[in-house]
Amino acid sequence: MGKIIAVANQKGGVGKSTTVVNLAAFLGTRGKKVLCVDFDPQGNSTTGFGIKKRTVEITSYNVIIGKNRVQDAVIVTDFENVSVIPATETLAGAEMELINMENRVNRLKMQLLTVKNDYDYILIDCPPALGSLTINALVSADSIIVPMLAEFYALEGLSQLVNTIKIVKNNYNPSLDIEGILFTMFDGRLNVANEVVAEVEKYFPGKVFQTKIPRNVRISEAPSHGKPVMYYDKTSKGTDSYTLLGLELLGEPLELPQKKRRGIFTFKKERQ
């Protein structure tokens, strides 16, 4: 049975879609069958895989309101072992529609359970909010990856998200766990960045990914070409960083052949 991972943070611009796209691409190259569920009305994961939203007929909106089966919405991408359930702006309307629906927090879970055995990993790209869509994702998930910036304001947002996770665990999904907290757009030369990392590691021991995703031009450019960064520029620092993140998720040694670039990863301790 596959593992469902929600990639969530109510703050925007922290790299949720970028993480979903690039982590999925890496896992696919390692022979893992991956389904990405774009659950953000902005549809960035959809665009990141080169899918033209104007040509899409069945989306995650159709799935969550029960108009179509999840299998009907799956698009096989051009990238090895990666499929996508796309999203468009129509998904924004689901927040209001879910209010009056039965089992409104379980609707995504019920759909994904029908395909969970077909994939090794299902990655859910959550919207930048703690509304009904994100709650549906957390109820569905086995674990959660939290991308965040190494800034002090981000700590407040993390606290709010952790409270939401506790509510979901207590009421709907007792097995939900934090897979890892991922620092993105990271610059290890800044004292404040290292202070924030230390603070988060203090309160979430063993839950902070050793891999840190740096600011990288190639990561920023890749979506405009409709490709994950490893397909856009396999030699880039961005490719290296998401390769290391994927290895860490798989529990494999964090090694790049003849490459150990400063600022991408550290070896302070093993994640528990």
Side-chain angles (χ1 to χ4, degrees):
M1 183 175 285
K3 184 172 188 178
I4 301 178
I5 302 176
V7 180
N9 190 326
Q10 74 273 24
K11 286 188 173 294
V14 298
K16 291 185 293 293
S17 300
T18 300
T19 296
V20 167
V21 169
N22 291 298
L23 183 56
F26 169 79
L27 292 171
T29 64
R30 297 300 293 258
K32 305 298 182 183
K33 194 173 181 183
V34 185
L35 175 65
C36 296
V37 181
D38 195 342
F39 220 43
D40 182 348
Q42 296 176 90
N44 289 337
S45 289
T46 302
T47 302
F49 283 112
I51 298 169
K52 305 298 184 185
K53 285 182 279 190
R54 64 179 180 275
T55 67
V56 172
E57 295 182 3
I58 302 174
T59 69
S60 54
Y61 168 77
N62 302 80
V63 171
I64 193 67
I65 67 168
K67 186 176 181 180
N68 293 90
R69 301 180 311 151
V70 67
Q71 293 89 340
D72 300 331
V74 173
I75 296 174
V76 178
T77 73
D78 295 331
F79 309 102
E80 189 176 6
N81 293 317
V82 178
S83 297
V84 176
I85 295 176
T88 64
E89 65 277 1
T90 57
L91 182 59
E95 286 280 358
M96 293 298 296
E97 293 182 52
L98 285 169
I99 294 173
N100 297 316
M101 289 185 175
E102 294 183 3
N103 296 317
R104 61 181 180 272
V105 300
N106 291 297
R107 297 186 69 85
L108 181 62
K109 178 180 181 177
M110 291 187 293
Q111 288 270 21
L112 293 183
L113 283 176
T114 66
V115 296
K116 193 173 182 181
N117 289 333
D118 299 331
Y119 298 93
D120 296 298
Y121 289 93
I122 298 177
L123 305 179
I124 308 174
D125 183 7
C126 298
L130 294 178
S132 298
L133 296 178
T134 297
I135 297 299
N136 261 268
L138 296 183
V139 171
S140 306
D142 298 303
S143 63
I144 176 173
I145 290 175
V146 184
M148 66 177 289
L149 305 182
E151 300 174 352
F152 276 110
Y153 282 133
L155 294 174
E156 186 175 87
L158 178 61
S159 176
Q160 294 169 354
L161 179 60
V162 168
N163 287 335
T164 301
I165 293 171
K166 288 179 179 177
I167 292 170
V168 171
K169 281 175 67 75
N170 291 336
N171 293 281
Y172 308 111
N173 185 2
S175 61
L176 180 65
D177 193 18
I178 295 177
E179 184 77 35
I181 297 167
L182 175 66
F183 284 98
T184 59
M185 297 175 240
F186 184 75
D187 187 345
R189 298 170 299 178
L190 301 177
N191 288 336
V192 66
N194 292 302
E195 289 170 4
V196 170
V197 170
E199 189 75 6
V200 174
E201 288 179 338
K202 175 182 173 182
Y203 287 101
F204 300 93
K207 292 297 185 182
V208 178
F209 283 107
Q210 297 178 50
T211 305
K212 311 291 188 292
I213 308 300
R215 290 189 182 274
N216 179 252
V217 172
R218 293 300 192 218
I219 292 176
S220 300
E221 291 175 344
S224 66
H225 295 268
K227 297 179 179 180
V229 68
M230 69 185 304
Y231 285 89
Y232 177 61
D233 184 352
K234 66 181 180 180
T235 65
S236 73
K237 195 174 180 180
T239 296
D240 286 351
S241 61
Y242 277 106
T243 295
L244 289 166
L245 176 63
L247 291 171
E248 191 170 354
L249 182 68
L250 294 173
E252 298 183 15
L254 304 188
E255 296 178 356
L256 292 170
Q258 300 180 345
K259 292 181 181 180
K260 290 190 177 179
R261 294 178 171 170
R262 182 181 178 188
I264 300 179
F265 60 98
T266 58
F267 295 92
K268 291 183 179 178
K269 60 186 176 184
E270 293 296 321
R271 291 176 63 234
Q272 299 172 350

